[in-house]
Every structure is written in structure tokens, then in C-alpha cells.
């Protein structure tokens, strides 16, 4: 069952959002949270498919920002922000935090919300199917993907992909190790910042990932295992597990 959290401190607004979701997707499981503490506790114990979130909760003007950061560190769950804060200012801020989309209260209709909500759910469904297919490929493959890549970034040994050495600098090796260790999961930009010593910004991370891809493609022209996840980070996918 699809699980959704609605984090909104105003009860009528929360109930309205809940009713819209139920009308658009009957049978969906919806949890309603009204404070930052309760929301963060729920996020820590539940694995939601989607979170609908207000930025200002009670007296905390930017409680939603802290909640998004908590989500990104734990599950990288898609977040739809619904807030009264001006979109001209906060849309870019939410984009930088990897929120899926931003809707400003009193400026959108029910149809706009439902369309955006269902678009996110379709993306979630596609991702689950993708991961399920990858699991099937790995099960059927004669050579497990885990055996195709060998690396030890702590000892600065050159990674080996399918028996061939890959020429990568140490920072790129660490990013590669982080992605491969969490195969099938989104590794957020914030998580990747922890493995680089300098240049902790998105452009720098993207450059390192580009370097990794280029290095793999020098020995494997069909390499497509590192996937961009818009506004959120990157994911290692085992698409080519059975390509031998």
C-alpha cells in the first residue's frame, strides 16, 4: 500500500489535502502530522512513498526545511511542498533542497495539486518497478554485479571493472564507493559531500560523477550504471548485470 505523510499544522488545510489525495487515489494510507517533532519522529520510523509538507509549522518559520533535510538523510522520499511562502523566493530554495515541486497556497486549484501528486506517485511506482527488475536481473546473472566491480578507496587501489583497471582519482573513487555500496538507492548530494574533502557543492559532485562515467566508458562503452536523480542526487543501477 502506498503511504503518504501530510505535514501541515493547520487542521482544515491538512484535512483538505487529505481529502484531495483520497479522492485521487482511493485506498491510499495517509498519516497527518502537525508539528516538526512528530513529523521527524514519523519519518525516522516510517518509509513513506511521498511527503506533502508545509514550510512553516507553528512558530517555526522554517521547520519544513529541517524536515526535508531529515528526509534526504534517511530515505530521499519525494517531497511536495505546499506553503503560503512566496513562490518567487521559496521555489528555488526548495529546489536546492531537492524537493520535487512547490505549490503556493491560494494560487493553485485542486486539479493542479492532484496532477502534481499523481505525477510524483507515477515516478515512485516506476522506480519500484525498476529496482524490482534490477533485482531479477542480478538473480539471473551468472556473474553477480558485486563481483564485477572491485575497489578499495581507502588504500588508493585502482578500481577494477570486469577485470580491467579504471583510472580514477581518490575523491572519485570515494564517490563511486558510496554509490556502489547503496546500489538501487538514491545517494543524496548531502551524503556525497561527506566523502569529499573540498568543493562541497553540487557542481563539483556532478563533475566527479562525470569523471567516473568517462573512466568506465573508456573500457565499457555501454556503461550506464550511474543514474541522475533530478534535484536529489545519483543512484547506481544494475541495468547491465546480465549483459555478459
Amino acid at each position: 500500500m502506498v503511504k503518504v505523510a501530510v505535514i501541515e499544522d493547520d487542521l482544515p488545510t491538512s484535512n483538505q489535502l487529505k481529502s484531495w489525495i483520497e479522492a485521487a487515489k482511493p485506498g491510499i494510507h495517509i498519516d497527518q502530522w502537525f508539528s516538526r517533532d512528530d513529523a521527524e519522529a514519523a519519518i525516522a520510523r516510517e518509509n513513506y512513498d511521498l511527503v506533502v509538507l508545509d514550510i512553516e509549522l507553528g512558530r517555526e518559520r522554517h521547520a519544513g526545511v529541517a524536515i526535508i533535510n531529515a528526509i534526504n538523510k534517511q530515505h530521499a522520499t519525494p517531497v511536495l511542498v505546499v506553503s503560503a511562502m512566496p513562490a518567487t523566493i521559496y521555489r528555488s530554495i526548495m529546489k536546492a533542497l531537492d524537493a520535487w515541486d512547490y505549490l503556493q497556497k491560494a494560487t493553485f486549484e485542486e486539479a493542479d495539486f492532484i496532477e502534481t501528486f499523481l505525477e510524483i506517485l507515477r515516478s515512485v511506482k516506476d522506480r519500484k518497478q525498476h529496482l524490482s527488475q534490477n533485482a531479477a536481473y542480478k538473480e539471473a546473472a551468472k556473474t553477480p554485479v558485486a563481483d564485477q566491480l572491485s575497489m578499495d578507496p581507502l588504500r588508493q587501489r585502482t578500481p577494477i571493472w570486469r577485470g580491467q583497471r579504471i583510472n580514477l582519482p581518490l575523491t572519485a573513487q570515494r564517490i563511486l564507493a558510496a554509490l556502489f555500496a547503496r546500489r538501487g538507492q538514491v545517494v543524496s548530494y548531502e551524503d556525497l559531500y561527506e566523502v569529499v574533502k573540498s568543493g562541497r557543492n553540487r557542481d563539483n559532485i556532478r563533475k566527479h560523477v562525470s569523471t567516473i562515467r568517462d573512466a568506465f566508458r573508456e573500457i565499457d562503452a555501454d556503461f550506464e550504471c550511474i543514474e541522475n536523480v533530478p534535484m536529489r542526487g545519483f543512484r547506481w543501477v544494475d541495468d547491465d548485470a546480465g549483459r555478459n
Side-chain angles (χ1 to χ4, degrees), residues 1 62 125 131 143 159:
M1 178 182 293
H62 296 107
K125 180 180 179 181
L131 295 179
T143 304

Side-chain angles (χ1 to χ4, degrees), residues 67-76 182 188 190-191 194:
I67 294 172
I68 291 176
N69 285 328
I71 291 171
N72 289 338
K73 288 180 180 179
Q74 296 185 56
H75 305 298
R182 293 171 58 183
S188 69
E190 288 74 16
D191 289 338
E194 295 179 5

Side-chain angles (χ1 to χ4, degrees), residues 86-96 101-104 231:
T88 53
I89 298 174
Y90 281 88
R91 183 182 296 276
S92 60
I93 296 174
M94 294 302 106
K95 182 178 180 180
D101 206 344
Y102 186 96
L103 297 177
Q104 183 177 341
M231 295 177 61

Side-chain angles (χ1 to χ4, degrees), residues 4-5 7 43 48-53 67 71 77-81:
V4 173
I7 304 173
I43 288 165
Y48 290 108
D49 294 289
L50 190 155
V51 173
V52 179
L53 170 71
I67 294 172
I71 291 171
T77 304
V79 176
L80 172 57
V81 179

Side-chain angles (χ1 to χ4, degrees), residues 127-142:
R127 178 190 173 194
K128 287 183 176 180
Q129 290 177 342
H130 182 75
L131 295 179
S132 177
Q133 289 171 354
N134 284 341
Y137 292 154
K138 287 192 289 184
E139 184 68 23
K142 294 180 179 179

